[in-house]
């Protein structure tokens, strides 16, 4: 089945929402008790319980095929890492998971990307609603030029969320992002006064304020020092209880530390054109990818022999 990425946030045709209701996330059957424990003793089912599924996904920028034939399941309440050498399409895949690529002129997705079984790129799906359910945290902390409070309140306000008490929601989001204690006495001050690590946690708080189910993170720690990075990694561990997290990281140790499952991508020169097209090499439990990968290319990459 082929979906073409046509409707955009501004497209008036893309108004109806057929993304499953919030109840869908609680009505799924319990996971079978078959699987493995990760390094921190957490039980993981053999197969992820799908929240987002890619089936034979190709992603183009104009005529250039950046990503070829990716099929991958992102599991509920799991952290999935996408790793691989520069240019292998990790960020391109990540941005396709909440239709962020709609905003890139010429970007196009074929194949199927489903959210709770629903084709995310179907004509009747509202991309704004997709992005509310599937939020994103970027590489560089990007708070708005507003107060800490207004950064958090912005999303609920513009999406028209029914909120009983905005103060409570702001507190809940800041607590959720492990930032409340540091900012509770300066909520009206500019977000630009925070450190880089605090700004990134603010961006995570801003993302969770609209109550998404999935959080996409594109190298969220690459601009941070090791202490701020450790705080974000601890936070991810906490967030996993309530959210599904998908992270792109260049840092293999980080993937090994935080991710339940890891997808390794590489870029291969296409026959004829020579264009380097990203492809998924291997997807498995993180412990397996880093201890006993099934593909030589993964082994070469994680052992530093290539990439
Ligand atoms: N907006 C864009 N327009 C055109 N080509 C793009 C665009 N974004 C990415 N590409 C191309 O798509 C391919 C995959 O890029 P992408 O950024 O997804 O890779 P990546 O694995 O995330 O790389 P990195 O680790 O360096 O961030 C590259 O060849 C890149 O040049």
């Amino acid at each position: 089945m082929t979906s073409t990425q046509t409707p955009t946030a501004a497209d008036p045709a893309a108004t109806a929402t057929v993304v499953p209701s919030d109840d869908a996330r609680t009505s799924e059957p319990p996971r079978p008790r078959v699987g493995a424990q990760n390094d921190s003793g957490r039980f993981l089912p053999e197969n992820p319980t799908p929240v987002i599924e890619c089936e034979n996904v190709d992603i183009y920028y104009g005529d250039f095929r950046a990503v070829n034939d990716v099929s991958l399941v992102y599991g509920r309440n799991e952290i999935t890492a996408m790793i691989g050498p520069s240019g292998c399409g990790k960020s391109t895949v990540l941005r396709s998971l909440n239709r962020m690529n709609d905003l890139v002129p010429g970007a196009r997705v074929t194949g199927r990307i489903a959210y709770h079984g629903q084709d995310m790129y179907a004509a009747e799906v509202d991309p704004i609603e997709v992005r509310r359910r599937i939020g994103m945290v970027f590489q560089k902390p990007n708070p708005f030029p507003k107060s800490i409070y207004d950064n958090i309140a912005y999303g609920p306000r513009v999406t028209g969320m029914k909120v009983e008490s905005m103060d409570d929601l702001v507190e809940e989001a800041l607590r959720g992002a492990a930032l409340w204690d540091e900012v509770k006495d300066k909520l009206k001050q500019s977000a630009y006064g925070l450190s880089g690590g605090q700004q990134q946690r603010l961006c995570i708080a801003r993302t969770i304020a609209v109550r998404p189910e999935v959080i996409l993170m594109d190298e969220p720690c690459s601009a941070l020092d090791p202490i701020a990075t450790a705080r974000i990694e601890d936070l991810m561990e906490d967030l996993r209880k309530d959210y599904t997290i998908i992270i792109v990281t260049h840092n293999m140790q980080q993937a090994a530390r935080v991710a339940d499952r890891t997808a390794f991508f590489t870029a291969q020169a296409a026959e004829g054109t020579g264009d380097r097209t990203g492809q998924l090499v291997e997807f498995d439990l993180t412990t397996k990818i880093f201890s006993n990968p099934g593909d030589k290319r993964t082994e070469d990459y994680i052992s530093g022999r290539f990439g």
Side-chain angles (χ1 to χ4, degrees), residues 61 64 66 84-92 95 104 219 248 250 276:
Y61 295 106
F64 170 59
S86 195
C88 67
K90 307 175 294 290
S91 298
T92 295
R95 286 195 300 264
V104 178
E219 304 233 27
V248 163
H250 263 120
R276 289 177 62 77

Side-chain angles (χ1 to χ4, degrees), residues 22 25 129 131-136 152-161 169 173 204-213 243:
D22 284 334
R25 53 179 100 162
E129 180 60 12
R131 290 181 208 125
R132 188 190 71 72
R133 302 287 183 90
I134 306 169
M136 190 156 205
I152 307 296
Y154 181 84
R157 282 179 186 143
V158 298
T159 56
M161 243 173 88
L169 179 64
I204 293 172
R206 191 175 67 188
T207 301
I208 63 182
V210 293
R211 306 214 162 101
E213 178 182 11
Y243 304 94

Side-chain angles (χ1 to χ4, degrees), residues 240-288:
R240 178 179 41 191
K241 298 181 190 95
D242 298 314
Y243 304 94
T244 294
I245 297 175
I246 304 168
I247 178 175
V248 163
T249 178
H250 263 120
N251 181 332
M252 281 189 279
Q253 286 80 13
Q254 178 166 68
R257 282 192 298 266
V258 302
D260 296 304
R261 295 180 211 266
T262 295
F264 171 65
F265 290 77
T266 193
Q268 198 144 308
E271 263 178 51
T273 64
D275 282 348
R276 289 177 62 77
T277 299
Q279 60 177 249
L280 175 65
V281 172
E282 189 172 354
F283 171 58
D284 214 322
L285 293 168
T286 298
T287 44
K288 170 109 183 351

Side-chain angles (χ1 to χ4, degrees), residues 128-177:
I128 294 173
E129 180 60 12
V130 169
R131 290 181 208 125
R132 188 190 71 72
R133 302 287 183 90
I134 306 169
M136 190 156 205
V137 175
F138 297 89
Q139 190 165 356
K140 217 166 145 266
N142 60 346
F144 302 134
K146 294 174 183 293
S147 69
I148 293 167
Y149 186 102
D150 285 340
N151 262 273
I152 307 296
Y154 181 84
R157 282 179 186 143
V158 298
T159 56
M161 243 173 88
K162 288 197 179 63
V163 176
E164 225 164 79
S165 158
M166 189 59 85
D167 289 358
D168 288 350
L169 179 64
V170 168
E171 179 174 342
E172 181 191 312
L174 288 168
R175 281 191 189 281

